[in-house]
Amino acid sequence: MTKIALIVNGSRHEADVEPRQLLAYFLRNELGLTGTNVGCDTSSCGACTVLVDGESIKSCTVFALQADGSEVTTVEGIASSGELHPVQQAFHEVHALQCGYCTPGFVMATISLLQENPNPSEEEIRLGLEGNLCRCTGYHNIVRAVQAAARAGA
Amino acid sequence: MIPAAFEYERARSVDEAVELLGRDEDAKLLAGGHSLIPAMRLRISRPSLLVDIGRLDDLRYVREDGDRIAIGALTRHAALVRDPVLAER
């Protein structure tokens, strides 16, 4: 076991982990943050996307040890004082979800995309989110939600 | 899908990474991990030691070097797509 210390959604956590513990399972099983879904478990689908030091990563393919000393943000950590994050609000208003399983990953990937490119074109949105899959095939509304979030200055 | 057990070391310099790799003939480098970690999860790959070089920022660069462009081994594809030096050439 190896000791790690990291900040998750603004709170500091110390834990002993096996090196083979993957970040997605650490967040879900050790910290109870089950908003991060595991979809394909092979880094294809992006359902497990979280931010590590502000950049989006697929947490099913990162060891918890790799995040030692980092700041991790999950979907549970983006709303503030009861207000949805603008990206969450946009997904809600535009109905950018069907079953909702991929939604946490899409929301986190969108936050990262808009940080890099605050006013993406439709093509840039589709390219920027190509690492996230929606098995309900709800992509049109997801793109609209990203555009709405960009307009809202997310 | 859980990888087999292994030891983990985070290298703080290229020299340290080389030294760590030399300790164990079944050691592997961990950079982005997009190939290695899925292979480990399927247990196709079972390194005994992982040497994490992911934070060696001096291996992350794009720079002109005479009539060549040098690209650091840890430069991400996304960084290359956005790189002004590459875009210009």
Side-chain angles (χ1 to χ4, degrees), chain A residues 18-20 63, chain B residues 2-7 40-41 43 45-47:
Chain A
E18 267 197 275
R20 59 181 169 171
F63 294 114
Chain B
I2 300 169
F6 56 87
E7 287 183 48
M40 288 174 65
R41 300 188 60 162
R43 302 205 178 191
S45 180
R46 301 179 67 141

Side-chain angles (χ1 to χ4, degrees), chain A residues 20 41 60 66 68 116, chain B residues 3 10 41 55 76 82:
Chain A
R20 59 181 169 171
D41 217 0
C60 79
Q66 290 174 271
D68 183 26
E116 290 172 18
Chain B
R10 183 186 286 172
R41 300 188 60 162
R55 297 198 188 184
R76 295 190 178 117
R82 291 192 289 262

Side-chain angles (χ1 to χ4, degrees), chain A residues 32-150:
Chain A
L33 295 170
T34 53
T36 298
N37 286 334
V38 175
C40 68
D41 217 0
T42 55
S43 69
S44 300
C45 81
C48 65
T49 303
V50 301
L51 306 183
V52 174
D53 294 329
E55 294 195 315
S56 61
I57 59 104
K58 292 179 176 180
S59 62
C60 79
T61 310
V62 171
F63 294 114
L65 271 173
Q66 290 174 271
D68 183 26
S70 294
E71 270 192 55
V72 178
T73 307
T74 72
V75 73
E76 289 95 337
I78 57 175
S80 58
S81 7
E83 296 276 316
L84 291 178
H85 185 281
V87 172
Q88 290 174 304
Q89 187 67 32
F91 271 65
H92 169 65
E93 286 174 5
V94 183
H95 193 62
L97 55 138
Q98 291 177 45
C99 84
Y101 198 83
C102 68
T103 309
F106 265 104
V107 166
M108 300 313 289
T110 298
I111 290 172
S112 177
L113 170 66
L114 293 178
Q115 275 168 4
E116 290 172 18
N117 182 355
N119 285 300
S121 66
E122 178 178 342
E123 190 185 350
E124 287 170 334
I125 293 168
R126 290 184 187 273
L127 187 65
L129 297 180
E130 70 174 357
N132 291 71
L133 303 180
C134 169
R135 293 294 299 272
C136 308
T137 71
Y139 294 103
H140 289 315
N141 281 4
I142 290 170
V143 171
R144 287 185 193 120
V146 178
Q147 291 168 325

